[in-house]
Amino acid sequence: MKNYYYIISLSIATLTFISCGNNNGKSDGYGNFEATEITISAENNGKLMQFNLDEGDILQKEQFIGYIDTIPLALKREQLEVSKAVIASKSKGVLSQINVLNAKLKTANTNKTRAQNLIKDNAGTQKQLDDVLGEMDVIKSQIRSVEIQNAPVVNELKSIDVQLKQIDDQIQKSKITNPVNGTVLTKYAEPNEITAFGKPLYKIADLSTMQLRVYISETQLANIKIGQEVTVKIDDADTMKSYKGTINWITSEAEFTPKIIQTKEERVALVYAVKVDVQNDGSLKIGMPAELWLNNLNINNN
């Protein structure tokens, strides 16, 4: 009989301890899972020649997805190349003249160095150096004169080079490359459709780590900190499934409790938003409700 009372007393004490450890069986916060969603848009206009993805696909960073028709851009580039060749042929004599003058300037610069070395060794005169410097000034003036006379041609060639770079950039942006690791959430376009700059193509999010946004009261704020490990629970059939989470963000300003909170009394209270990182085993979905437990760090299913 003594053993019976001892077991009863021990059971009551254990239940009392568990009840206190679990905050009287109530979670410390409620919220929903979310993820950073990125909408990938077209960077050029044209027909979608290839677009290989479906909703639910897991994509890698820098993975090639498809491309927008580049034939109009290629034709425009070819036209610019022809125009550049025509202009260059007209200014061929001018460019040759500049090349000859640059060669003379290079020779004069060599003579300048030689004259300076002779003066250092007391084997040359200042007049020799002055003559070389005078020759260099004349050559430089001739080069500037030729460039000024042919400035329109030179500027036109530079303008075509800039246009060619712009075309190359547009061709590069016609390739659709996935920018981040993640799962395709929504697909907005199909192959052979006409797209335009800024038009959404698909939405992607990294679901490997989910963020649980919960709201806690001011009294709970003192008990949490960034980097703290907590327990997150979701409904799983007739029981609860638990995950280990890490607090990664705490808002600095209070706000009124969102309407998703159940009771009227809680909805009029001021709360603080908290984000918890949770590793996703495939069961966690965007928008799924979950509970936050600060004191119960037991990750076994309850």
Side-chain angles (χ1 to χ4, degrees), residues 183-201:
T183 302
V184 178
L185 303 179
T186 310
K187 182 180 181 181
Y188 298 114
E190 296 291 342
N192 299 315
E193 288 185 358
I194 302 298
T195 188
F197 180 85
K199 182 179 179 180
L201 298 175

Side-chain angles (χ1 to χ4, degrees), residues 9 31 36 51 72 111 149-150 230 236 239 251 261 272 281-282 297:
S9 300
T36 302
F51 192 54
N111 293 334
Q149 292 175 7
N150 296 274
V230 297
D236 184 24
T239 181
T251 185
I261 303 301
Y272 293 82
D281 60 358
L297 296 179

Side-chain angles (χ1 to χ4, degrees), residues 100-112:
V100 170
L101 290 172
N102 281 326
K104 288 183 177 180
L105 183 62
K106 183 177 180 181
T107 301
N109 193 51
T110 302
N111 293 334
K112 171 190 170 184

Side-chain angles (χ1 to χ4, degrees), residues 211-230:
Q211 289 80 43
L212 175 65
R213 179 188 285 267
V214 296
Y215 296 89
I216 62 172
S217 65
E218 186 175 2
T219 56
Q220 295 172 300
L221 193 61
N223 297 323
I224 65 170
K225 61 182 180 179
I226 294 177
Q228 177 179 340
E229 288 191 353
V230 297

Side-chain angles (χ1 to χ4, degrees), residues 174-300:
S174 294
K175 299 177 182 178
I176 305 170
T177 305
N178 183 57
V180 295
N181 297 328
T183 302
V184 178
L185 303 179
T186 310
K187 182 180 181 181
Y188 298 114
E190 296 291 342
N192 299 315
E193 288 185 358
I194 302 298
T195 188
F197 180 85
K199 182 179 179 180
L201 298 175
Y202 63 98
K203 183 185 292 183
I204 189 171
D206 185 0
L207 303 182
S208 60
T209 300
M210 303 288 288
Q211 289 80 43
L212 175 65
R213 179 188 285 267
V214 296
Y215 296 89
I216 62 172
S217 65
E218 186 175 2
T219 56
Q220 295 172 300
L221 193 61
N223 297 323
I224 65 170
K225 61 182 180 179
I226 294 177
Q228 177 179 340
E229 288 191 353
V230 297
T231 298
V232 172
K233 296 184 179 182
I234 63 171
D235 292 327
D236 184 24
D238 296 330
T239 181
M240 298 288 286
K241 188 176 182 179
S242 299
Y243 295 84
K244 180 182 291 185
T246 304
I247 296 175
N248 77 339
W249 175 79
I250 303 172
T251 185
S252 58
E253 296 181 359
E255 58 183 288
F256 284 106
T257 309
K259 294 181 179 179
I260 56 172
I261 303 301
Q262 290 83 351
T263 66
K264 181 178 179 180
E265 290 76 11
E266 290 175 322
R267 286 202 299 269
V268 298
L270 287 174
V271 293
Y272 293 82
V274 175
K275 286 185 180 181
V276 181
D277 284 340
V278 182
Q279 290 296 316
N280 190 1
D281 60 358
S283 300
L284 308 180
K285 310 296 180 185
I286 295 176
M288 177 183 289
E291 299 178 358
L292 170 69
W293 294 71
L294 297 177
N295 298 325
N296 181 7
L297 296 179
N298 182 11
I299 306 306
N300 296 323

Side-chain angles (χ1 to χ4, degrees), residues 42-47 68-69 73 174 194-198:
E43 295 186 79
N44 210 345
N45 305 320
K47 185 177 182 180
I68 300 169
D69 185 13
L73 293 173
S174 294
I194 302 298
T195 188
F197 180 85

Side-chain angles (χ1 to χ4, degrees), residues 154-184:
V154 175
N155 290 336
E156 193 169 358
L157 287 174
K158 290 181 179 179
S159 175
I160 291 179
D161 286 336
V162 171
Q163 293 179 62
L164 286 171
K165 290 180 181 179
Q166 291 174 338
I167 293 294
D168 291 338
D169 180 63
Q170 288 180 303
I171 291 175
Q172 181 63 32
K173 289 180 177 178
S174 294
K175 299 177 182 178
I176 305 170
T177 305
N178 183 57
V180 295
N181 297 328
T183 302
V184 178

